[in-house]
Amino acid sequence: MSFLPAAITPIVLLLISNVFMTFAWYGHLKFTDKPLWLVVVASWGIAFAEYCFAVPANRYGHAVYSAAELKTMQEVITLTVFAAFSVLYLGERITSNHLVGFALICGGAFFIFKGPLPSW
């Protein structure tokens, strides 16, 4: 992904990996008639594809971001992908409680990227 700036590459890779992982973890909820062992095996296959994007995202990303920043970025991306997935694929609603919770997590992300607070 050398055509993207170094700071953007991990974000794109994490976004792709989270789409795969969300389907691996939650996609089977629409297939409750299938045996559990079958959806576990299918989920493992999807999760392997996720790892093919997540591992390079963290490898390349660590040249630009700290591990804490990468993890925080991944969590915010995960929430964003999950919110879209739950509405578009599962047909669930996002409530105001969800939005407040997501906003608080994003607020925490702000402090991770802000840098050290001044000493008291």
PDB file of all heavy atoms in Angstrom, residues 7-22 50 57-58 65 69-85 102 105-106 109 113:
ATOM      1  N   ALA A   7       0.719   7.378   7.260  1.00  0.00           N
ATOM      2  CA  ALA A   7      -0.251   7.563   8.343  1.00  0.00           C
ATOM      3  C   ALA A   7      -1.643   7.061   7.960  1.00  0.00           C
ATOM      4  O   ALA A   7      -2.455   6.771   8.838  1.00  0.00           O
ATOM      5  CB  ALA A   7      -0.320   9.041   8.735  1.00  0.00           C
ATOM      6  N   ILE A   8      -1.920   6.937   6.677  1.00  0.00           N
ATOM      7  CA  ILE A   8      -3.244   6.514   6.201  1.00  0.00           C
ATOM      8  C   ILE A   8      -3.311   5.013   5.974  1.00  0.00           C
ATOM      9  O   ILE A   8      -4.354   4.389   6.182  1.00  0.00           O
ATOM     10  CB  ILE A   8      -3.604   7.265   4.896  1.00  0.00           C
ATOM     11  CG1 ILE A   8      -3.613   8.768   5.125  1.00  0.00           C
ATOM     12  CG2 ILE A   8      -4.935   6.787   4.333  1.00  0.00           C
ATOM     13  CD1 ILE A   8      -4.609   9.241   6.159  1.00  0.00           C
ATOM     14  N   THR A   9      -2.205   4.405   5.581  1.00  0.00           N
ATOM     15  CA  THR A   9      -2.176   2.969   5.275  1.00  0.00           C
ATOM     16  C   THR A   9      -2.765   2.108   6.390  1.00  0.00           C
ATOM     17  O   THR A   9      -3.637   1.280   6.125  1.00  0.00           O
ATOM     18  CB  THR A   9      -0.746   2.518   4.928  1.00  0.00           C
ATOM     19  OG1 THR A   9      -0.321   3.225   3.760  1.00  0.00           O
ATOM     20  CG2 THR A   9      -0.678   1.021   4.672  1.00  0.00           C
ATOM     21  N   PRO A  10      -2.337   2.273   7.658  1.00  0.00           N
ATOM     22  CA  PRO A  10      -2.923   1.414   8.706  1.00  0.00           C
ATOM     23  C   PRO A  10      -4.412   1.652   8.912  1.00  0.00           C
ATOM     24  O   PRO A  10      -5.146   0.719   9.239  1.00  0.00           O
ATOM     25  CB  PRO A  10      -2.121   1.756   9.958  1.00  0.00           C
ATOM     26  CG  PRO A  10      -1.488   3.063   9.679  1.00  0.00           C
ATOM     27  CD  PRO A  10      -1.303   3.156   8.202  1.00  0.00           C
ATOM     28  N   ILE A  11      -4.868   2.854   8.696  1.00  0.00           N
ATOM     29  CA  ILE A  11      -6.294   3.156   8.863  1.00  0.00           C
ATOM     30  C   ILE A  11      -7.111   2.398   7.816  1.00  0.00           C
ATOM     31  O   ILE A  11      -8.121   1.764   8.136  1.00  0.00           O
ATOM     32  CB  ILE A  11      -6.552   4.678   8.784  1.00  0.00           C
ATOM     33  CG1 ILE A  11      -5.851   5.388   9.948  1.00  0.00           C
ATOM     34  CG2 ILE A  11      -8.044   4.990   8.757  1.00  0.00           C
ATOM     35  CD1 ILE A  11      -5.805   6.894   9.839  1.00  0.00           C
ATOM     36  N   VAL A  12      -6.658   2.428   6.576  1.00  0.00           N
ATOM     37  CA  VAL A  12      -7.357   1.716   5.501  1.00  0.00           C
ATOM     38  C   VAL A  12      -7.337   0.211   5.757  1.00  0.00           C
ATOM     39  O   VAL A  12      -8.365  -0.466   5.646  1.00  0.00           O
ATOM     40  CB  VAL A  12      -6.736   2.057   4.124  1.00  0.00           C
ATOM     41  CG1 VAL A  12      -7.293   1.161   3.032  1.00  0.00           C
ATOM     42  CG2 VAL A  12      -6.975   3.523   3.795  1.00  0.00           C
ATOM     43  N   LEU A  13      -6.170  -0.316   6.142  1.00  0.00           N
ATOM     44  CA  LEU A  13      -6.065  -1.752   6.410  1.00  0.00           C
ATOM     45  C   LEU A  13      -6.919  -2.166   7.606  1.00  0.00           C
ATOM     46  O   LEU A  13      -7.556  -3.226   7.583  1.00  0.00           O
ATOM     47  CB  LEU A  13      -4.604  -2.142   6.631  1.00  0.00           C
ATOM     48  CG  LEU A  13      -3.710  -2.070   5.396  1.00  0.00           C
ATOM     49  CD1 LEU A  13      -2.252  -2.309   5.783  1.00  0.00           C
ATOM     50  CD2 LEU A  13      -4.150  -3.061   4.329  1.00  0.00           C
ATOM     51  N   LEU A  14      -6.951  -1.349   8.649  1.00  0.00           N
ATOM     52  CA  LEU A  14      -7.790  -1.659   9.807  1.00  0.00           C
ATOM     53  C   LEU A  14      -9.270  -1.595   9.451  1.00  0.00           C
ATOM     54  O   LEU A  14     -10.070  -2.397   9.946  1.00  0.00           O
ATOM     55  CB  LEU A  14      -7.487  -0.715  10.972  1.00  0.00           C
ATOM     56  CG  LEU A  14      -6.192  -0.979  11.716  1.00  0.00           C
ATOM     57  CD1 LEU A  14      -5.903   0.150  12.704  1.00  0.00           C
ATOM     58  CD2 LEU A  14      -6.231  -2.319  12.425  1.00  0.00           C
ATOM     59  N   LEU A  15      -9.647  -0.683   8.599  1.00  0.00           N
ATOM     60  CA  LEU A  15     -11.039  -0.597   8.163  1.00  0.00           C
ATOM     61  C   LEU A  15     -11.439  -1.878   7.422  1.00  0.00           C
ATOM     62  O   LEU A  15     -12.474  -2.480   7.719  1.00  0.00           O
ATOM     63  CB  LEU A  15     -11.230   0.630   7.271  1.00  0.00           C
ATOM     64  CG  LEU A  15     -12.630   0.879   6.749  1.00  0.00           C
ATOM     65  CD1 LEU A  15     -13.608   1.105   7.888  1.00  0.00           C
ATOM     66  CD2 LEU A  15     -12.634   2.078   5.826  1.00  0.00           C
ATOM     67  N   ILE A  16     -10.601  -2.323   6.494  1.00  0.00           N
ATOM     68  CA  ILE A  16     -10.894  -3.551   5.747  1.00  0.00           C
ATOM     69  C   ILE A  16     -10.932  -4.746   6.700  1.00  0.00           C
ATOM     70  O   ILE A  16     -11.845  -5.576   6.636  1.00  0.00           O
ATOM     71  CB  ILE A  16      -9.849  -3.766   4.636  1.00  0.00           C
ATOM     72  CG1 ILE A  16      -9.956  -2.659   3.587  1.00  0.00           C
ATOM     73  CG2 ILE A  16     -10.018  -5.134   3.984  1.00  0.00           C
ATOM     74  CD1 ILE A  16      -8.791  -2.602   2.616  1.00  0.00           C
ATOM     75  N   SER A  17      -9.955  -4.830   7.592  1.00  0.00           N
ATOM     76  CA  SER A  17      -9.908  -5.971   8.513  1.00  0.00           C
ATOM     77  C   SER A  17     -11.135  -6.012   9.408  1.00  0.00           C
ATOM     78  O   SER A  17     -11.669  -7.081   9.705  1.00  0.00           O
ATOM     79  CB  SER A  17      -8.628  -5.954   9.351  1.00  0.00           C
ATOM     80  OG  SER A  17      -8.694  -5.016  10.396  1.00  0.00           O
ATOM     81  N   ASN A  18     -11.613  -4.853   9.825  1.00  0.00           N
ATOM     82  CA  ASN A  18     -12.788  -4.816  10.703  1.00  0.00           C
ATOM     83  C   ASN A  18     -14.073  -5.198   9.984  1.00  0.00           C
ATOM     84  O   ASN A  18     -14.978  -5.753  10.607  1.00  0.00           O
ATOM     85  CB  ASN A  18     -12.915  -3.442  11.365  1.00  0.00           C
ATOM     86  CG  ASN A  18     -12.122  -3.382  12.631  1.00  0.00           C
ATOM     87  OD1 ASN A  18     -12.581  -3.848  13.656  1.00  0.00           O
ATOM     88  ND2 ASN A  18     -10.909  -2.846  12.557  1.00  0.00           N
ATOM     89  N   VAL A  19     -14.155  -4.935   8.699  1.00  0.00           N
ATOM     90  CA  VAL A  19     -15.321  -5.397   7.947  1.00  0.00           C
ATOM     91  C   VAL A  19     -15.340  -6.926   7.957  1.00  0.00           C
ATOM     92  O   VAL A  19     -16.369  -7.546   8.240  1.00  0.00           O
ATOM     93  CB  VAL A  19     -15.309  -4.834   6.508  1.00  0.00           C
ATOM     94  CG1 VAL A  19     -16.361  -5.528   5.648  1.00  0.00           C
ATOM     95  CG2 VAL A  19     -15.534  -3.322   6.521  1.00  0.00           C
ATOM     96  N   PHE A  20     -14.187  -7.541   7.676  1.00  0.00           N
ATOM     97  CA  PHE A  20     -14.109  -9.001   7.709  1.00  0.00           C
ATOM     98  C   PHE A  20     -14.435  -9.537   9.104  1.00  0.00           C
ATOM     99  O   PHE A  20     -15.193 -10.497   9.248  1.00  0.00           O
ATOM    100  CB  PHE A  20     -12.719  -9.492   7.283  1.00  0.00           C
ATOM    101  CG  PHE A  20     -12.524  -9.551   5.803  1.00  0.00           C
ATOM    102  CD1 PHE A  20     -11.733  -8.614   5.162  1.00  0.00           C
ATOM    103  CD2 PHE A  20     -13.121 -10.542   5.041  1.00  0.00           C
ATOM    104  CE1 PHE A  20     -11.536  -8.663   3.794  1.00  0.00           C
ATOM    105  CE2 PHE A  20     -12.935 -10.609   3.674  1.00  0.00           C
ATOM    106  CZ  PHE A  20     -12.136  -9.661   3.048  1.00  0.00           C
ATOM    107  N   MET A  21     -13.861  -8.933  10.145  1.00  0.00           N
ATOM    108  CA  MET A  21     -14.047  -9.462  11.492  1.00  0.00           C
ATOM    109  C   MET A  21     -15.487  -9.308  11.960  1.00  0.00           C
ATOM    110  O   MET A  21     -16.012 -10.188  12.644  1.00  0.00           O
ATOM    111  CB  MET A  21     -13.098  -8.781  12.480  1.00  0.00           C
ATOM    112  CG  MET A  21     -12.863  -9.592  13.700  1.00  0.00           C
ATOM    113  SD  MET A  21     -12.123 -11.184  13.215  1.00  0.00           S
ATOM    114  CE  MET A  21     -12.239 -12.068  14.723  1.00  0.00           C
ATOM    115  N   THR A  22     -16.123  -8.220  11.589  1.00  0.00           N
ATOM    116  CA  THR A  22     -17.515  -8.036  11.974  1.00  0.00           C
ATOM    117  C   THR A  22     -18.386  -9.119  11.342  1.00  0.00           C
ATOM    118  O   THR A  22     -19.259  -9.683  12.008  1.00  0.00           O
ATOM    119  CB  THR A  22     -17.998  -6.626  11.579  1.00  0.00           C
ATOM    120  OG1 THR A  22     -17.173  -5.666  12.255  1.00  0.00           O
ATOM    121  CG2 THR A  22     -19.446  -6.398  11.970  1.00  0.00           C
ATOM    122  N   GLU A  50      -9.336 -11.503   7.790  1.00  0.00           N
ATOM    123  CA  GLU A  50      -9.182 -10.324   8.653  1.00  0.00           C
ATOM    124  C   GLU A  50      -7.741 -10.177   9.120  1.00  0.00           C
ATOM    125  O   GLU A  50      -7.181  -9.081   9.100  1.00  0.00           O
ATOM    126  CB  GLU A  50     -10.129 -10.445   9.856  1.00  0.00           C
ATOM    127  CG  GLU A  50     -10.113  -9.245  10.775  1.00  0.00           C
ATOM    128  CD  GLU A  50      -9.133  -9.368  11.936  1.00  0.00           C
ATOM    129  OE1 GLU A  50      -8.690 -10.476  12.226  1.00  0.00           O
ATOM    130  OE2 GLU A  50      -8.819  -8.323  12.539  1.00  0.00           O
ATOM    131  N   ALA A  57      -1.543  -3.968   9.018  1.00  0.00           N
ATOM    132  CA  ALA A  57      -1.951  -2.645   9.512  1.00  0.00           C
ATOM    133  C   ALA A  57      -1.146  -2.273  10.747  1.00  0.00           C
ATOM    134  O   ALA A  57      -0.662  -1.139  10.868  1.00  0.00           O
ATOM    135  CB  ALA A  57      -3.444  -2.644   9.835  1.00  0.00           C
ATOM    136  N   ASN A  58      -1.001  -3.220  11.655  1.00  0.00           N
ATOM    137  CA  ASN A  58      -0.242  -2.943  12.875  1.00  0.00           C
ATOM    138  C   ASN A  58       1.261  -2.880  12.612  1.00  0.00           C
ATOM    139  O   ASN A  58       1.959  -2.068  13.216  1.00  0.00           O
ATOM    140  CB  ASN A  58      -0.578  -3.980  13.942  1.00  0.00           C
ATOM    141  CG  ASN A  58      -1.976  -3.762  14.477  1.00  0.00           C
ATOM    142  OD1 ASN A  58      -2.322  -2.673  14.894  1.00  0.00           O
ATOM    143  ND2 ASN A  58      -2.790  -4.796  14.427  1.00  0.00           N
ATOM    144  N   TYR A  65       2.525   5.242  14.450  1.00  0.00           N
ATOM    145  CA  TYR A  65       1.708   5.376  15.650  1.00  0.00           C
ATOM    146  C   TYR A  65       2.247   4.486  16.773  1.00  0.00           C
ATOM    147  O   TYR A  65       2.877   3.470  16.510  1.00  0.00           O
ATOM    148  CB  TYR A  65       0.257   4.950  15.365  1.00  0.00           C
ATOM    149  CG  TYR A  65      -0.417   5.755  14.280  1.00  0.00           C
ATOM    150  CD1 TYR A  65      -0.620   5.217  13.010  1.00  0.00           C
ATOM    151  CD2 TYR A  65      -0.862   7.048  14.528  1.00  0.00           C
ATOM    152  CE1 TYR A  65      -1.253   5.949  12.016  1.00  0.00           C
ATOM    153  CE2 TYR A  65      -1.492   7.781  13.536  1.00  0.00           C
ATOM    154  CZ  TYR A  65      -1.687   7.233  12.283  1.00  0.00           C
ATOM    155  OH  TYR A  65      -2.304   7.958  11.307  1.00  0.00           O
ATOM    156  N   GLU A  69      -2.047   4.015  20.350  1.00  0.00           N
ATOM    157  CA  GLU A  69      -2.788   4.737  19.316  1.00  0.00           C
ATOM    158  C   GLU A  69      -3.393   3.771  18.300  1.00  0.00           C
ATOM    159  O   GLU A  69      -4.537   3.934  17.881  1.00  0.00           O
ATOM    160  CB  GLU A  69      -1.878   5.745  18.616  1.00  0.00           C
ATOM    161  CG  GLU A  69      -1.515   6.915  19.489  1.00  0.00           C
ATOM    162  CD  GLU A  69      -0.451   7.806  18.888  1.00  0.00           C
ATOM    163  OE1 GLU A  69       0.378   7.308  18.082  1.00  0.00           O
ATOM    164  OE2 GLU A  69      -0.423   8.998  19.237  1.00  0.00           O
ATOM    165  N   LEU A  70      -2.634   2.750  17.910  1.00  0.00           N
ATOM    166  CA  LEU A  70      -3.155   1.754  16.968  1.00  0.00           C
ATOM    167  C   LEU A  70      -4.363   1.023  17.550  1.00  0.00           C
ATOM    168  O   LEU A  70      -5.362   0.809  16.868  1.00  0.00           O
ATOM    169  CB  LEU A  70      -2.071   0.747  16.595  1.00  0.00           C
ATOM    170  CG  LEU A  70      -1.020   1.230  15.608  1.00  0.00           C
ATOM    171  CD1 LEU A  70       0.149   0.260  15.556  1.00  0.00           C
ATOM    172  CD2 LEU A  70      -1.631   1.417  14.225  1.00  0.00           C
ATOM    173  N   LYS A  71      -4.268   0.625  18.815  1.00  0.00           N
ATOM    174  CA  LYS A  71      -5.371  -0.085  19.456  1.00  0.00           C
ATOM    175  C   LYS A  71      -6.600   0.807  19.562  1.00  0.00           C
ATOM    176  O   LYS A  71      -7.735   0.375  19.315  1.00  0.00           O
ATOM    177  CB  LYS A  71      -4.951  -0.599  20.841  1.00  0.00           C
ATOM    178  CG  LYS A  71      -6.030  -1.379  21.552  1.00  0.00           C
ATOM    179  CD  LYS A  71      -6.458  -2.593  20.741  1.00  0.00           C
ATOM    180  CE  LYS A  71      -7.535  -3.374  21.460  1.00  0.00           C
ATOM    181  NZ  LYS A  71      -8.098  -4.423  20.622  1.00  0.00           N
ATOM    182  N   THR A  72      -6.394   2.050  19.913  1.00  0.00           N
ATOM    183  CA  THR A  72      -7.500   2.998  20.023  1.00  0.00           C
ATOM    184  C   THR A  72      -8.146   3.222  18.665  1.00  0.00           C
ATOM    185  O   THR A  72      -9.379   3.224  18.548  1.00  0.00           O
ATOM    186  CB  THR A  72      -6.998   4.331  20.610  1.00  0.00           C
ATOM    187  OG1 THR A  72      -6.390   4.070  21.877  1.00  0.00           O
ATOM    188  CG2 THR A  72      -8.116   5.331  20.759  1.00  0.00           C
ATOM    189  N   MET A  73      -7.316   3.380  17.647  1.00  0.00           N
ATOM    190  CA  MET A  73      -7.817   3.544  16.289  1.00  0.00           C
ATOM    191  C   MET A  73      -8.661   2.330  15.889  1.00  0.00           C
ATOM    192  O   MET A  73      -9.755   2.472  15.329  1.00  0.00           O
ATOM    193  CB  MET A  73      -6.607   3.662  15.356  1.00  0.00           C
ATOM    194  CG  MET A  73      -6.867   4.257  14.031  1.00  0.00           C
ATOM    195  SD  MET A  73      -5.357   4.305  13.015  1.00  0.00           S
ATOM    196  CE  MET A  73      -4.169   5.075  14.088  1.00  0.00           C
ATOM    197  N   GLN A  74      -8.161   1.158  16.213  1.00  0.00           N
ATOM    198  CA  GLN A  74      -8.868  -0.078  15.875  1.00  0.00           C
ATOM    199  C   GLN A  74     -10.225  -0.129  16.568  1.00  0.00           C
ATOM    200  O   GLN A  74     -11.221  -0.526  15.969  1.00  0.00           O
ATOM    201  CB  GLN A  74      -8.003  -1.287  16.252  1.00  0.00           C
ATOM    202  CG  GLN A  74      -8.566  -2.611  15.811  1.00  0.00           C
ATOM    203  CD  GLN A  74      -9.373  -3.304  16.876  1.00  0.00           C
ATOM    204  OE1 GLN A  74      -9.180  -3.096  18.066  1.00  0.00           O
ATOM    205  NE2 GLN A  74     -10.308  -4.129  16.456  1.00  0.00           N
ATOM    206  N   GLU A  75     -10.296   0.274  17.821  1.00  0.00           N
ATOM    207  CA  GLU A  75     -11.563   0.243  18.561  1.00  0.00           C
ATOM    208  C   GLU A  75     -12.584   1.215  17.980  1.00  0.00           C
ATOM    209  O   GLU A  75     -13.765   0.891  17.857  1.00  0.00           O
ATOM    210  CB  GLU A  75     -11.334   0.533  20.042  1.00  0.00           C
ATOM    211  CG  GLU A  75     -10.548  -0.534  20.770  1.00  0.00           C
ATOM    212  CD  GLU A  75     -11.192  -1.909  20.754  1.00  0.00           C
ATOM    213  OE1 GLU A  75     -12.438  -2.003  20.646  1.00  0.00           O
ATOM    214  OE2 GLU A  75     -10.462  -2.900  20.842  1.00  0.00           O
ATOM    215  N   VAL A  76     -12.147   2.410  17.621  1.00  0.00           N
ATOM    216  CA  VAL A  76     -13.061   3.392  17.038  1.00  0.00           C
ATOM    217  C   VAL A  76     -13.540   2.907  15.670  1.00  0.00           C
ATOM    218  O   VAL A  76     -14.733   3.005  15.345  1.00  0.00           O
ATOM    219  CB  VAL A  76     -12.395   4.785  16.953  1.00  0.00           C
ATOM    220  CG1 VAL A  76     -13.238   5.756  16.146  1.00  0.00           C
ATOM    221  CG2 VAL A  76     -12.144   5.336  18.347  1.00  0.00           C
ATOM    222  N   ILE A  77     -12.634   2.349  14.876  1.00  0.00           N
ATOM    223  CA  ILE A  77     -13.021   1.794  13.573  1.00  0.00           C
ATOM    224  C   ILE A  77     -13.997   0.636  13.772  1.00  0.00           C
ATOM    225  O   ILE A  77     -14.995   0.523  13.058  1.00  0.00           O
ATOM    226  CB  ILE A  77     -11.778   1.367  12.772  1.00  0.00           C
ATOM    227  CG1 ILE A  77     -10.990   2.597  12.325  1.00  0.00           C
ATOM    228  CG2 ILE A  77     -12.167   0.517  11.565  1.00  0.00           C
ATOM    229  CD1 ILE A  77      -9.612   2.298  11.760  1.00  0.00           C
ATOM    230  N   THR A  78     -13.719  -0.220  14.756  1.00  0.00           N
ATOM    231  CA  THR A  78     -14.596  -1.350  15.027  1.00  0.00           C
ATOM    232  C   THR A  78     -16.010  -0.877  15.363  1.00  0.00           C
ATOM    233  O   THR A  78     -16.996  -1.428  14.865  1.00  0.00           O
ATOM    234  CB  THR A  78     -14.047  -2.206  16.189  1.00  0.00           C
ATOM    235  OG1 THR A  78     -12.808  -2.760  15.786  1.00  0.00           O
ATOM    236  CG2 THR A  78     -14.992  -3.317  16.574  1.00  0.00           C
ATOM    237  N   LEU A  79     -16.128   0.119  16.210  1.00  0.00           N
ATOM    238  CA  LEU A  79     -17.451   0.644  16.568  1.00  0.00           C
ATOM    239  C   LEU A  79     -18.172   1.235  15.365  1.00  0.00           C
ATOM    240  O   LEU A  79     -19.374   1.032  15.187  1.00  0.00           O
ATOM    241  CB  LEU A  79     -17.329   1.700  17.662  1.00  0.00           C
ATOM    242  CG  LEU A  79     -17.084   1.174  19.056  1.00  0.00           C
ATOM    243  CD1 LEU A  79     -16.816   2.325  20.013  1.00  0.00           C
ATOM    244  CD2 LEU A  79     -18.266   0.359  19.531  1.00  0.00           C
ATOM    245  N   THR A  80     -17.440   1.932  14.534  1.00  0.00           N
ATOM    246  CA  THR A  80     -18.033   2.544  13.347  1.00  0.00           C
ATOM    247  C   THR A  80     -18.526   1.473  12.377  1.00  0.00           C
ATOM    248  O   THR A  80     -19.664   1.534  11.888  1.00  0.00           O
ATOM    249  CB  THR A  80     -17.010   3.459  12.657  1.00  0.00           C
ATOM    250  OG1 THR A  80     -16.547   4.431  13.605  1.00  0.00           O
ATOM    251  CG2 THR A  80     -17.609   4.165  11.468  1.00  0.00           C
ATOM    252  N   VAL A  81     -17.671   0.477  12.113  1.00  0.00           N
ATOM    253  CA  VAL A  81     -18.054  -0.615  11.216  1.00  0.00           C
ATOM    254  C   VAL A  81     -19.228  -1.388  11.810  1.00  0.00           C
ATOM    255  O   VAL A  81     -20.199  -1.717  11.107  1.00  0.00           O
ATOM    256  CB  VAL A  81     -16.853  -1.539  10.933  1.00  0.00           C
ATOM    257  CG1 VAL A  81     -17.281  -2.823  10.245  1.00  0.00           C
ATOM    258  CG2 VAL A  81     -15.807  -0.810  10.095  1.00  0.00           C
ATOM    259  N   PHE A  82     -19.158  -1.676  13.108  1.00  0.00           N
ATOM    260  CA  PHE A  82     -20.231  -2.434  13.750  1.00  0.00           C
ATOM    261  C   PHE A  82     -21.558  -1.684  13.703  1.00  0.00           C
ATOM    262  O   PHE A  82     -22.614  -2.284  13.462  1.00  0.00           O
ATOM    263  CB  PHE A  82     -19.880  -2.781  15.193  1.00  0.00           C
ATOM    264  CG  PHE A  82     -20.991  -3.531  15.873  1.00  0.00           C
ATOM    265  CD1 PHE A  82     -21.182  -4.871  15.612  1.00  0.00           C
ATOM    266  CD2 PHE A  82     -21.860  -2.878  16.732  1.00  0.00           C
ATOM    267  CE1 PHE A  82     -22.229  -5.567  16.209  1.00  0.00           C
ATOM    268  CE2 PHE A  82     -22.904  -3.564  17.334  1.00  0.00           C
ATOM    269  CZ  PHE A  82     -23.087  -4.911  17.071  1.00  0.00           C
ATOM    270  N   ALA A  83     -21.536  -0.391  13.940  1.00  0.00           N
ATOM    271  CA  ALA A  83     -22.775   0.397  13.906  1.00  0.00           C
ATOM    272  C   ALA A  83     -23.408   0.320  12.517  1.00  0.00           C
ATOM    273  O   ALA A  83     -24.617   0.080  12.391  1.00  0.00           O
ATOM    274  CB  ALA A  83     -22.496   1.841  14.298  1.00  0.00           C
ATOM    275  N   ALA A  84     -22.600   0.502  11.487  1.00  0.00           N
ATOM    276  CA  ALA A  84     -23.121   0.408  10.123  1.00  0.00           C
ATOM    277  C   ALA A  84     -23.624  -1.003   9.830  1.00  0.00           C
ATOM    278  O   ALA A  84     -24.707  -1.185   9.252  1.00  0.00           O
ATOM    279  CB  ALA A  84     -22.044   0.807   9.119  1.00  0.00           C
ATOM    280  N   PHE A  85     -22.877  -2.010  10.235  1.00  0.00           N
ATOM    281  CA  PHE A  85     -23.247  -3.412  10.014  1.00  0.00           C
ATOM    282  C   PHE A  85     -24.566  -3.753  10.701  1.00  0.00           C
ATOM    283  O   PHE A  85     -25.436  -4.384  10.105  1.00  0.00           O
ATOM    284  CB  PHE A  85     -22.131  -4.310  10.547  1.00  0.00           C
ATOM    285  CG  PHE A  85     -22.424  -5.773  10.479  1.00  0.00           C
ATOM    286  CD1 PHE A  85     -22.146  -6.502   9.339  1.00  0.00           C
ATOM    287  CD2 PHE A  85     -22.969  -6.440  11.567  1.00  0.00           C
ATOM    288  CE1 PHE A  85     -22.410  -7.861   9.270  1.00  0.00           C
ATOM    289  CE2 PHE A  85     -23.235  -7.799  11.515  1.00  0.00           C
ATOM    290  CZ  PHE A  85     -22.954  -8.507  10.355  1.00  0.00           C
ATOM    291  N   PHE A 102     -20.878   5.402  22.303  1.00  0.00           N
ATOM    292  CA  PHE A 102     -19.854   5.528  21.261  1.00  0.00           C
ATOM    293  C   PHE A 102     -19.125   6.866  21.391  1.00  0.00           C
ATOM    294  O   PHE A 102     -17.908   6.936  21.231  1.00  0.00           O
ATOM    295  CB  PHE A 102     -20.478   5.419  19.870  1.00  0.00           C
ATOM    296  CG  PHE A 102     -21.026   4.054  19.533  1.00  0.00           C
ATOM    297  CD1 PHE A 102     -21.859   3.893  18.444  1.00  0.00           C
ATOM    298  CD2 PHE A 102     -20.722   2.926  20.287  1.00  0.00           C
ATOM    299  CE1 PHE A 102     -22.377   2.644  18.110  1.00  0.00           C
ATOM    300  CE2 PHE A 102     -21.233   1.676  19.971  1.00  0.00           C
ATOM    301  CZ  PHE A 102     -22.063   1.533  18.875  1.00  0.00           C
ATOM    302  N   ILE A 105     -16.549   6.701  24.125  1.00  0.00           N
ATOM    303  CA  ILE A 105     -15.362   5.957  23.683  1.00  0.00           C
ATOM    304  C   ILE A 105     -14.512   6.836  22.765  1.00  0.00           C
ATOM    305  O   ILE A 105     -13.280   6.858  22.885  1.00  0.00           O
ATOM    306  CB  ILE A 105     -15.773   4.641  23.008  1.00  0.00           C
ATOM    307  CG1 ILE A 105     -16.364   3.701  24.070  1.00  0.00           C
ATOM    308  CG2 ILE A 105     -14.595   3.990  22.292  1.00  0.00           C
ATOM    309  CD1 ILE A 105     -17.054   2.481  23.515  1.00  0.00           C
ATOM    310  N   CYS A 106     -15.150   7.574  21.871  1.00  0.00           N
ATOM    311  CA  CYS A 106     -14.403   8.488  20.994  1.00  0.00           C
ATOM    312  C   CYS A 106     -13.742   9.599  21.811  1.00  0.00           C
ATOM    313  O   CYS A 106     -12.641  10.044  21.477  1.00  0.00           O
ATOM    314  CB  CYS A 106     -15.320   9.075  19.925  1.00  0.00           C
ATOM    315  SG  CYS A 106     -15.798   7.860  18.679  1.00  0.00           S
ATOM    316  N   ALA A 109     -10.628   8.221  22.999  1.00  0.00           N
ATOM    317  CA  ALA A 109      -9.660   8.187  21.899  1.00  0.00           C
ATOM    318  C   ALA A 109      -8.983   9.542  21.730  1.00  0.00           C
ATOM    319  O   ALA A 109      -7.783   9.626  21.464  1.00  0.00           O
ATOM    320  CB  ALA A 109     -10.344   7.765  20.602  1.00  0.00           C
ATOM    321  N   PHE A 113      -4.743  10.292  21.634  1.00  0.00           N
ATOM    322  CA  PHE A 113      -4.015  10.970  20.571  1.00  0.00           C
ATOM    323  C   PHE A 113      -3.547  12.363  20.951  1.00  0.00           C
ATOM    324  O   PHE A 113      -2.672  12.915  20.308  1.00  0.00           O
ATOM    325  CB  PHE A 113      -4.872  11.023  19.300  1.00  0.00           C
ATOM    326  CG  PHE A 113      -4.904   9.733  18.563  1.00  0.00           C
ATOM    327  CD1 PHE A 113      -5.894   8.795  18.821  1.00  0.00           C
ATOM    328  CD2 PHE A 113      -3.921   9.405  17.652  1.00  0.00           C
ATOM    329  CE1 PHE A 113      -5.920   7.579  18.155  1.00  0.00           C
ATOM    330  CE2 PHE A 113      -3.934   8.187  16.982  1.00  0.00           C
ATOM    331  CZ  PHE A 113      -4.929   7.281  17.239  1.00  0.00           C
TER     332      PHE A 113
END
